[in-house]
Structure formats: C-alpha cells, structure tokens
Amino acid sequence: MRSKALRGIRLAILATFAVAGFATQGMAGPLPSQSKDVHMGTGTCAESMCHGAGNSWERSTVPQNEYIIWSRQDKHSKAYTALGEERGQRIAKNLGIGDAQKAPLCLSCHTDVAAADKRGWRYKEADGVGCEACHGPAEKWLQVHVTGISSHKENVEAGMYGLEDPVDRAKVCVGCHVTASNPLFNHRLYGAGHPRIVFELDTFTATEPAHYRITDAYRTRKVVANGARTWAVGQAAVAQVVLTQVSDAQRNHDGIMPALATFDCFACHHQLGSMSGSLAQQPVGTMRINLSSLQMLKVVAAEVDPPLADRLGRNITALRASVREGFQPMARAAADAAQTVTELSAKIGQRAYDQNQMKTLLRALVRAGVAGEYASYVDAEQATMGIAAVLSALTVSGSINEPRYRDALAKLYEAMAKPETFKLDAFRSSVETLGRATDAL
Amino acid sequence: MQAQITSITRRARGDLRKSSVVTGGYLRIGRNAHSEILLSDLRMAMEEAELHIENGELRLIRKGTNPLTVNGQGTNTGLLKVGDELRLGPYRLVIEEPPEGVDAAIGVELVTPLSEDVERLTSTSRIGLANTWFSRRGFAWSLALVIALLFLAFPLAGHFMSRASQDGSGSAPAVLAAFHKTWSAGEVSNPHKFFSSNCANCHEQSFKTVQDEACASCHNTVNHHFDPATVTPAAAGQLSCTNCHKEHRGPVMASGATQGVCLDCHADIKKVAPNTKLANAGDFSSGHPPFHPIVSLDGKTLARVDSMDAKQQSNLKFPHSTHLAQGGVRGQTGMVKLECSNCHVPERDGALMKPVAFEQSCANCHSLAFTAEGGGRAVPHGNPDLAKRTVEEFFSKVALDGGSVDTTAPETIRRRPGVPLTDPQRLEAAQWAKVKAAEAMEIVFDDKRGCGSCHTVQKTDAGYGIVPVKISWVSMPEAHFNHAKHAAVTCTNCHNAPASTSSADILLPQIATCQNCHGGVGETTKVASSCMTCHDLHRKELGPMRPLPAGKTSRMPQPVAIRSGTN
C-alpha cells in the first residue's frame, strides 16, 4: 500500500519533470550518454588543423585551441588518470571494487563511456571526459561538421549535442556533477574518500575553463546566455535532480539510514564546538538535506514571481521538517517542492536577464547573505558562486567595473576557503562589504 | 555423251589396250590438254576435230589443219559407223562397237611415231658447257677459289693481323676488315657495337662458342641468380650467359631468354635447391604461387607475410578512407578532394612510387605551428632535436627582442621592441623563454595532435622522440612492376585504398587482380606474360655471378677524363 503510493508520487514527479524538460528544452537532441552512435575519440578532434591548432587559420570562426585548453587546463582530461592515482586507487580499494580504472562505477563519470562496439579507432578510454562526452558521439555529425560550411544548427541536426543553451548544458553536467544521476553514488563513496561534489553551472563553465570565446562569429551562430541566466537555469536543474532522488522512496534511504549523499555534509561533519547553533528553520542536531539549490532558487523566484518564492520557502521548511517524520513524508514534501521547481523552471524558460533583473538578483543574494540565511557552508558556497556569477554577467554587460568589487569578492572567497574554517559571521561581514562595494545594499 | 577411249600400242608380244571412259557434250580431238581424245604428238594441232552425237550416230567435224581421211577418203565432215578408220596425221582412229552403257568407242593408235633422226637432230642442236673451253669443273673450282679467298683467306688475314696489334684496334687494311665482317651471324646489339669490330673481343677461341669469361671481362658486377651454396652442384654449373643472352640479333638488347629457361629449375625447385622456401612456379595463368609481400609486422623489422590479410605495423596512424572520403577533407580554404596522386608520385622511371614526403603531401593541412606569436611559427618535420631547438630559439628571440603579443607574458617580454635589457631582466627573459618553449614542446609532441596525430610519440627523460616509421616501399622486390605501364588503369582497380580505415591494411593487390589482365605465355585473350615480364634473373641482393679474378682489370673502357684523372 505504502510502496504503491510512493511509486505513484514518483511517477507524478517524473512526469512533471518530463513536461518541464520539454517546456524549457533547447534545440539539443538526445543526451550524449544516451546516444547509440560511435565515439570517434578525442584524437579525431584534436588535429593541429582542427581544434588543436598551434596557430589558428586566418578566417577561422573559432579559436581552434579548444583541445589544447582541454588537455592542458581542463580537469576533465585528467578524469581517467586521476583514477589511477593514489586517491583513486584508495577509494576503489575501500569500496572493494578492484581497479578504479576498470570499475564501471568509477568509469561512468571518469571517462567518455562508450560500448566496445561504439569506439572509433582513435577512441581511448584513458582520454577521460573527452569532447564527445559532452558534445555527443561524433559518428554521424563529424562529416557535416568538418566541412566548415555547416551551421551550428546543421551540426546539431546531424547529431551534435548543442551546449550553448544553459538548459541543455545543465542536463549534461548534472549527469555527473550531481549525485542523483548514479544510483550507486551514495554516502559510501564519500566514506571511501571521494571528494565532496559541488556544482554551479555558471562558475564551473568559467573555471573549466571555457574553451570558447564569445566573438561576433560566435554570436551569429549561437544564442548567448548571460551568466545570471546560466546560474538560475543551473540551480533549477540541480534542484530537480536532488528532489528526484529525495522523492524516490526506493533511493532516498540506504537500509535504515537516509541516502546521506543528498544531505548537507556539514550538518554532521563539523568540529564540535564550532557549530553555530543558529541555523534557521530547524532545531540543532537535525539532519539536513542539502537544499542549497532550492535556497538559490528562492532568490530566482523572488525576482520572477514573489508568491512562488513564498511557496518555495514553505516547501523548503516542510522538506527540512519531514526528515524527522519518515521517508514517506520526506518523499511527499520533495514531490511538493519539485512541483514548485517545475513551475518555476517554466517561468525562467528563456528569460534572458537584463541589467535591472540581474541587479535585483544580486541584491537579494547579498541581503539574504547578510541576514544569515546561508548559515550552512553548502548554502554559503552556492551563494558565493551565485554572487560571482551575477557580478560577472553584470561586468560583461557593462553596468559595473570589475575593480570595484575585485577585493571584496576575493575576501568573500577567502571566507569560503575551507569548510573546516568556515565562520558564519565572517561570511556575513564579507557579503556586507561586497554589497556596499556594488551598491547592492 | 559417254565414250570409251582405248589407247592401242602395237607390240611384238601382242597389242596393249588401255581404256578409259570420258564424258562430255561432245568429244574434242587434239593436242590441247583438255581434249577428251588427247593426241599428244607434237605434230598435232591443239584442236583437230570434234565428234558429236547426232540422232544416235557419230558426226565428225574437222577443226584442224592436218589432213583427215575416213576409210582413205579426205573429208571435212560426215557421219561415222562402226569399223570406220580415220587417219589424222600420225594417228589412226577406229570406230569400235561400243560396250553396254556407252555411246561410242574409239580406238586410238599412234602409227607413225617421230623418227630417230628427228631425235638426233634435236639433241645436237643444244649448246652445252662441255662444248666450250670453260668446263663445268673448271668454273666450279674457280668460284670455290674466289669464295675461299674472299670469305676465308681475307677474313682470316684480317683476324690475325688485328689480333697481332696490341690493343686490337685493327691495323688490318680496310678491305680485309670489310670481308672479315662477312663472318658475322647478324648485326650486333647496340651496347656491344663499340667494340664489335674485333670479333676476338668475345670470340676468344676460334671455333668455340663464346665463354662466360669473355662476358665477365666487362660484366663483372652482374649479380648471381642464386647463392651457389644453396643449389645442387649440377644445377650450379648450368647457368651460362649464352643460355639467355643471344647476340647478333640486331640492335636489341642481348637478352632472349624464354620461360623454359626458368621452368627448367622452378617447375620443381626442390630438386635443385633442396632447402629453398620457394614454392614451385609455372605458367602465370595457373602455376604462379600467391604473392608474399614484405612488410613490417612488429614496427621494427621487415618480414614476408603469408597473406595480404595480414596486418602490418608501420608505426604510422593513417586511415586512407578519411583522406579519400567522397566529400573531401577539410583544408584551410574549405573541402579539398584528395586524389591518390596528391601524395603518391612515381619515380622518374615510372616504376615505383617515391616515398611520401611530409612537406609535399601533408603539410598543407597538418600544421606543425606551435605559436601564433610573430605571425605564427612551425617546427620542421622529421627531426625532434631540431624541433626543440627551433622552439627554444624562437622564444629566446621573442624574449630578447620584446614586443610579445602574449598577454600573459611579463612586462619585460612585452616591452617596446628595441629597449635593451638589464642583466636581471635578461635572466627573467631567459626563464620565460624556457617555460614557453617547454609548453610549446608539450603541445607539439602531444599524442593526439601535431606529431601524435600520425606518429607514436615517445617521451623520455632525454626529451621527445618519434617511433620511426617502418614501411617497405618495395614490398615485392623480386618483381619489377612498373606503374607507368599501367597508367591507363585507375589506382583503385588494384589498391582498394578508399575502403581502408587503418594503416595496418596491406593495400597491395592479390595475384588474381593481375590475372584479370595477364595470362600465361600461351594466352590469346589476355596479355601473354612470361616469367621475364615481371622477373629479373640477376638478383641485386646477391653477389656477382662472375667476379673479376684477382689481379685482372675490367676491359670495360672508361671515359677518358676519369681514367686520366683530369678534368
């Protein structure tokens, strides 16, 4: 009876997400991980006259050094080799899954997964998260793409996965960067020594680092989303994935324990005595789901639709309280929150965010920060990246100069340097300083 | 009508009658060969008379000039009856009772043959040699003497006179030399003409066929066909130059071997070379073994493979299919449709292909640029050490000159060009150049772009290296295939390169591909091909067949300038 009800809730949520996904979908086709095409291998793209140029062609529309950036600076290129290093081997040993470089659990995110019969002659598992892991297996689109006269639209129609719209991009990223995509990715993996997984779409796009430049040629071929929109869309995507997992009664617990990977690590993992004891909304000592993405979405919602923001606030409160009641109430609360997120996602839709809207977002983030709403490290962490994303977008739009906030932002990042040394007061004062520097207060 | 003609010869022991039946509309009588009644005596006219059937009776019609009588009466025409006797010149013809089935029967008898006197007159009227002072015997001897003088004495004199002279350049009078040539069996081949005036150059011993030593006195570097140690002693002695090389056949090269010379041994090769790995060989249409090309299987050494399906390891990543794609390949200015000939260029003799050179065939697309600084700069292909020096020298120069466009470079490097550096700045510049060069080298020798897109890159403590490419540019050295002669055939008829997705494929044709057009020596509907169509006897990997004996020098004349050591 109970499990039937849960399954019903779960199906309802999946259905709403499917609709929401459709409503906000960009032009991209199936996710790269779901494509049945052959992965040609990173070496196919990396040639010196293509995306690995030492000196780009005169009339090239792209920098052509994408491979060089990826291979030298982007950690995606080291994803597989990391498995072979001390930490990777140690984690695999602790989990008892043998060689990390051979374990499907690890490889599912640490390389561009391709079945044995879907590998071109240049494909190498050891290349890590290569081009086709995000841009889609190239078997069908490579020929169109290399002509150099095909438009981005034609490439995508031929099977390339378009990533310029943050809605589509987020779908690919969350596949690995948010725990819920992999049912095996649970608290045990953290226990075995895997680093904490954090994600924020705009920040991570920039720090990857991005291997594209937004030039006139780029603008003629692709829609450009600003940082604020990218941030908002990213938060919605993360929230949907998190809520899917929490609302899934099959996956929201591990035996008698909750699915701890979806919880805020620092709710429990804090040095005794350093606990602030002043976290809003719930009594001390209560397990706390990691709802940082919903906290951010509250700010997004307040700008788009204030009543929806209020509802989201109530959802968050209910979800946090549900932890004390049981898995079924928790799943129901997650389903309610998911409904709100779905409605909000639809409203964000193709919202482009102008300067005033971005300033509203910044103001809301700063005020909530100063008010102490981001008392947990994971919330403060997302707020910091959100502030940086919006500031960066404002700078690009020309409404603020980077030198004005450079020092204040550096100080804020300093306050966030390590979870162990995180102090809420220091964070609040840093946000306050930044708020004054940017006229957000 | 049908008539029985009976020739009658009177003899002492009884008449000789010889009958034959002739058929015709009527019967012609005369000396003409087609006459039904042939009267061959010289005194007869060609046509003397005719016999016709007229209402069952024989009618005689006179045609000739000799007098004709019937039963003693001269006549020109008249009907004849059995028993009538005709006289026509020296002949007597009798009408006889015809046997059953025949219309008439005529007996013919030469009654007055030519007299003995006539025979005698005829014979004495001829003039014979015997009647003259110049007898037949005398003439024969005279002619024999002239022939002996011109074609034996003169040539011999010329032969010995020129032999007597030290260098053989002929001191014999021209006339002797001219007759000397009459002994020649035919025109000498072009390459041998310059010394052919002296027969003794080759024909060292009189009345003995030319010996191999004579050939080897110049051709001392011609390679052997087999290692004498690998064949039976009997077979080792079998091959002499003149087995194959026939002279005095006109201005063609002096090789005239037929397939039989090869098959004498190769039809059952184990018999003459018990330890050989060669298969038996026969006519190209049916008896030729499959091709066993030489390729690299381990990336280091060349080896013979059993089958074209084997996978070679050239240490090169090169998919023909990508480069020959229907839609072309991407070049700087757009799609370029590559043809085989863009990379594969024949040698000057048209036989084989030149090795593919990066600069000519690859560089247009496969850039080796390592920086955009200074308008771009590329490393040279083929020498990792030189590449390293190029990169290091380039960034050192940028650092020393200043004016770098690298926005991440320190002020020292980006300073206005021409401003001299202080000593501490020099150290900074050198350090920057070193770091930039190391970065650039990493990119150049990346395993997926630059060097690594085609080659296998090796990184050691000593620096970067490239695993050497191992390709056998001549995979079937025993045969001399000539691409130029096959120019009318497209490349892909024999080499299925567009379908080859890996450089591991051996893209040589199977023998069946050759047999589409080439058949054996007896072929009438294909190109008739013998062993010599593709194979040489002399194998360059073996030593000389007949080296110069120690202490002997080649008789091959050397150009004067080189011989005298002056220019």
Side-chain angles (χ1 to χ4, degrees):
Chain A
M1 206 46 209
R2 185 184 150 189
S3 66
K4 252 186 195 167
L6 282 173
R7 200 175 301 139
I9 293 167
R10 190 181 157 205
L11 285 173
I13 291 166
L14 289 177
T16 41
F17 280 163
V19 171
F22 183 74
T24 58
Q25 189 163 21
M27 59 199 281
L31 286 170
S33 57
Q34 286 159 6
S35 170
K36 297 277 180 277
D37 296 342
V38 173
H39 296 240
M40 307 301 286
T42 300
T44 311
C45 320
E47 237 311 328
S48 59
M49 70 274 195
C50 299
H51 296 291
N55 183 20
S56 68
W57 289 347
E58 218 168 272
R59 281 177 289 175
S60 182
T61 51
V62 295
Q64 287 189 267
N65 63 353
E66 296 79 11
Y67 166 74
I68 292 173
I69 291 175
W70 174 84
S71 63
R72 310 291 137 184
Q73 301 173 46
D74 189 337
K75 286 181 179 169
H76 285 115
S77 65
K78 310 290 184 297
Y80 181 86
T81 48
L83 294 178
E85 287 164 9
E86 190 277 327
R87 183 163 66 181
Q89 292 294 311
R90 174 159 45 85
I91 296 169
K93 193 181 163 209
N94 289 341
L95 286 168
I97 55 170
D99 184 356
Q101 288 184 327
K102 295 200 175 75
L105 170 68
C106 307
L107 291 173
S108 67
C109 278
H110 281 264
T111 188
D112 173 21
V113 180
D117 61 339
K118 299 292 180 194
R119 299 177 176 188
W121 70 275
R122 284 205 193 262
Y123 173 90
K124 277 190 202 157
E125 199 168 60
D127 288 346
V129 182
C131 315
E132 291 164 287
C134 303
H135 295 282
E139 181 192 7
K140 301 219 172 88
W141 56 262
L142 185 62
Q143 276 307 313
V144 177
H145 174 65
V146 296
T147 61
I149 51 170
S150 58
S151 66
H152 180 60
K153 186 164 171 285
E154 286 169 317
N155 290 336
V156 170
E157 279 166 4
M160 179 191 264
Y161 188 83
L163 291 161
E164 72 281 9
D165 186 330
V167 175
D168 298 324
R169 195 189 315 158
K171 281 182 198 157
V172 174
C173 301
V174 298
C176 282
H177 286 276
V178 183
T179 60
S181 66
N182 188 337
L184 293 168
F185 201 109
N186 53 30
H187 192 244
R188 289 184 221 174
L189 191 50
Y190 287 139
H194 195 284
R196 187 170 64 94
I197 290 179
V198 189
F199 184 66
E200 192 279 287
L201 184 60
D202 187 62
T203 304
F204 277 46
T205 299
T207 58
E208 186 184 18
H211 49 240
Y212 61 88
R213 273 204 312 265
I214 298 178
T215 58
D216 289 345
Y218 183 99
R219 281 180 223 280
T220 60
R221 290 179 296 124
K222 294 173 181 173
V223 178
V224 181
N226 69 23
R229 174 174 153 71
T230 304
W231 171 73
V233 166
Q235 293 298 349
V238 173
Q240 286 180 335
V241 176
V242 170
L243 293 173
T244 303
Q245 178 151 15
V246 177
S247 63
D248 184 348
Q250 304 297 315
R251 285 166 57 183
N252 69 2
H253 61 97
D254 180 13
I256 63 163
M257 297 289 284
L260 289 166
T262 56
F263 282 69
D264 175 358
C265 309
F266 307 107
C268 301
H269 296 278
H270 58 81
Q271 291 170 308
L272 292 174
S274 71
M275 192 61 194
S276 67
S278 62
L279 288 175
Q281 298 159 337
Q282 65 192 125
V284 291
T286 309
M287 289 193 69
R288 207 165 57 233
I289 305 176
N290 184 352
L291 296 177
S292 56
S293 58
L294 270 69
Q295 291 281 53
M296 296 303 110
L297 282 178
K298 223 166 84 178
V299 172
V300 175
E303 189 274 323
V304 180
D305 183 354
L308 205 56
D310 292 343
R311 201 175 113 196
L312 192 59
R314 286 195 299 280
N315 288 144
I316 292 170
T317 308
L319 197 47
R320 292 211 188 286
S322 70
V323 174
R324 298 197 301 276
E325 294 165 23
F327 292 122
Q328 200 173 0
M330 184 168 80
R332 261 199 299 274
D336 289 343
Q339 179 61 38
T340 311
V341 171
T342 303
E343 284 174 37
L344 181 60
S345 294
K347 293 212 174 209
I348 299 171
Q350 298 297 316
R351 200 174 181 80
Y353 287 99
D354 63 21
Q355 292 187 2
N356 284 330
Q357 290 165 331
M358 286 195 277
K359 280 176 184 164
T360 308
L361 287 180
L362 180 65
R363 237 180 342 256
L365 281 169
V366 167
R367 282 178 185 168
V370 173
E373 271 188 47
Y374 308 129
S376 165
Y377 180 82
V378 290
D379 292 347
E381 183 180 44
Q382 285 297 335
T384 303
M385 291 193 283
I387 288 168
V390 176
L391 270 178
S392 169
L394 278 167
T395 310
V396 170
S397 77
S399 70
I400 192 166
N401 287 325
E402 195 257 348
R404 265 181 68 187
Y405 61 82
R406 188 191 293 159
D407 292 345
L409 190 61
K411 223 180 126 213
L412 178 57
Y413 269 104
E414 209 174 291
M416 298 304 305
K418 281 181 183 172
E420 301 85 55
T421 55
F422 174 71
K423 295 275 190 302
L424 181 57
D425 289 344
F427 172 73
R428 286 170 63 182
S429 79
S430 305
V431 175
E432 195 175 353
T433 312
L434 184 97
R436 276 198 217 94
T438 56
D439 297 333
L441 274 177
Chain B
M1 70 179 284
Q2 283 198 318
Q4 180 186 276
I5 312 298
T6 306
S7 147
I8 303 165
T9 309
R10 305 274 174 204
R11 282 182 170 183
R13 285 181 293 168
D15 298 348
L16 188 69
R17 295 174 62 90
K18 200 172 155 192
S19 298
S20 62
V21 175
V22 296
T23 307
Y26 58 98
L27 301 179
R28 291 166 288 195
I29 301 171
R31 189 158 55 92
N32 211 338
H34 62 233
S35 305
E36 281 76 18
I37 300 173
L38 179 62
L39 305 178
S40 57
D41 190 282
L42 283 172
R43 289 162 288 185
M44 299 307 293
M46 285 299 175
E47 289 175 7
E48 287 290 2
E50 287 171 6
L51 285 175
H52 291 258
I53 286 280
E54 196 178 290
N55 303 325
E57 293 183 282
L58 275 176
R59 174 172 287 283
L60 175 71
I61 301 166
R62 185 174 175 237
K63 290 275 184 180
T65 50
N66 277 308
L68 174 66
T69 62
V70 176
N71 301 329
Q73 298 290 316
T75 182
N76 280 332
T77 183
L79 291 172
L80 299 176
K81 59 184 187 296
V82 174
D84 280 352
E85 183 188 296
L86 285 69
R87 297 298 291 251
L88 182 58
Y91 286 94
R92 185 173 75 98
L93 284 78
V94 181
I95 308 303
E96 297 174 343
E97 188 65 44
E100 192 67 21
V102 174
D103 299 313
I106 299 120
V108 179
E109 184 187 358
L110 181 62
V111 288
T112 48
L114 281 173
S115 69
E116 291 275 320
D117 291 349
V118 177
E119 282 289 335
R120 189 181 51 79
L121 275 174
T122 310
S123 64
T124 53
S125 68
R126 291 197 199 107
I127 299 171
L129 267 180
N131 307 95
T132 67
W133 62 268
F134 198 90
S135 72
R136 229 187 296 199
R137 187 174 299 272
F139 184 76
W141 277 109
S142 304
L143 201 59
L145 197 67
V146 170
I147 290 171
L149 194 68
L150 292 179
F151 301 111
L152 182 64
F154 279 21
L156 278 177
H159 172 66
F160 286 111
M161 285 168 82
S162 57
R163 202 173 223 203
S165 68
Q166 208 60 312
D167 60 357
S169 63
S171 59
V175 63
L176 294 186
F179 278 103
H180 190 185
K181 279 186 185 155
T182 59
W183 276 15
S184 171
E187 190 181 347
V188 173
S189 66
N190 273 340
H192 289 164
K193 275 183 178 157
F194 73 95
F195 60 82
S196 65
S197 59
N198 187 352
C199 307
N201 277 339
C202 298
H203 300 276
E204 290 177 324
Q205 285 173 280
S206 305
F207 307 109
K208 197 166 181 190
T209 185
V210 173
Q211 299 296 295
D212 288 356
E213 286 72 19
C215 307
S217 64
C218 288
H219 297 282
N220 51 66
T221 59
V222 171
N223 300 106
H224 224 299
H225 181 54
F226 47 69
D227 179 352
T230 63
V231 299
T232 58
Q238 259 180 27
L239 271 183
S240 96
C241 305
T242 50
N243 277 143
C244 302
H245 299 281
K246 313 287 184 193
E247 250 301 356
H248 298 286
R249 286 151 39 99
V252 291
M253 285 301 285
S255 169
T258 58
Q259 186 159 287
V261 174
C262 309
L263 298 189
D264 281 349
C265 291
H266 283 274
D268 187 5
I269 191 69
K270 287 269 193 304
K271 212 162 138 189
V272 293
N275 297 321
T276 186
K277 289 178 184 164
L278 291 177
N280 287 341
D283 194 61
F284 188 69
S285 59
S286 56
H288 197 289
F291 294 157
H292 298 298
I294 293 170
V295 300
S296 168
L297 293 173
D298 59 1
K300 298 186 192 99
T301 51
L302 296 177
R304 208 172 279 282
V305 293
D306 290 336
S307 154
M308 294 290 182
D309 296 331
K311 293 294 170 194
Q312 61 174 326
Q313 189 188 327
S314 60
N315 299 327
L316 196 65
K317 306 168 201 166
F318 184 85
H320 273 93
S321 57
T322 304
H323 291 81
L324 293 171
Q326 274 301 314
V329 294
R330 177 77 190 278
Q332 289 208 26
T333 51
M335 297 304 279
V336 182
K337 181 81 180 80
L338 290 183
E339 304 295 341
C340 306
S341 59
N342 285 107
C343 300
H344 297 286
V345 180
E347 300 275 11
R348 273 193 73 174
D349 64 358
L352 298 174
M353 292 292 163
K354 285 181 183 168
V356 174
F358 177 87
E359 289 77 7
Q360 275 89 53
S361 301
C362 316
N364 199 33
C365 290
H366 293 272
S367 160
L368 296 184
F370 60 88
T371 181
E373 186 96 54
R377 188 62 66 91
V379 291
H381 183 263
N383 186 336
D385 291 335
L386 191 57
K388 181 166 187 272
R389 278 180 49 191
T390 305
V391 170
E392 285 172 350
E393 286 168 7
F394 176 80
F395 284 110
S396 300
K397 180 167 165 42
V398 170
L400 288 174
D401 286 356
S404 169
V405 297
D406 182 354
T407 52
T408 64
E411 193 51 41
T412 304
I413 313 300
R414 303 194 66 197
R415 75 191 187 284
R416 192 154 57 82
V419 176
L421 291 171
T422 63
D423 280 352
Q425 282 177 324
R426 272 176 201 284
L427 287 175
E428 189 190 357
Q431 185 55 34
W432 177 84
K434 205 172 160 187
V435 171
K436 290 296 286 186
E439 281 176 14
M441 283 295 283
E442 247 189 57
I443 293 170
V444 168
F445 285 89
D446 187 282
D447 69 344
K448 284 191 259 306
R449 62 164 306 285
C451 305
S453 62
C454 307
H455 295 281
T456 304
V457 177
Q458 282 175 319
K459 192 177 185 221
T460 63
D461 293 341
Y464 293 100
I466 300 291
V467 178
V469 172
K470 194 75 183 169
I471 291 175
S472 61
W473 289 104
V474 185
S475 292
M476 295 191 273
E478 291 79 10
H480 47 72
F481 179 84
N482 191 314
H483 280 95
K485 287 186 178 175
H486 296 79
V489 183
T490 56
C491 310
T492 50
N493 275 24
C494 303
H495 305 282
N496 193 12
S500 165
T501 57
S502 166
S503 51
D505 296 338
I506 298 172
L507 291 178
L508 294 167
Q510 309 268 15
I511 192 168
T513 308
C514 305
Q515 285 166 338
N516 283 338
C517 299
H518 288 270
V521 285
E523 195 67 57
T524 53
T525 56
K526 291 180 179 179
V527 182
S529 309
S530 76
C531 306
M532 278 66 71
T533 306
C534 301
H535 296 284
D536 279 329
L537 181 110
H538 302 287
R539 292 164 57 197
K540 52 183 173 291
E541 70 272 24
L542 296 177
M545 225 173 171
R546 300 201 177 270
L548 271 184
K552 269 205 160 183
T553 52
S554 171
R555 285 169 63 189
M556 181 72 87
Q558 299 298 314
V560 174
I562 294 176
R563 190 164 53 178
S564 65
T566 58
N567 286 323

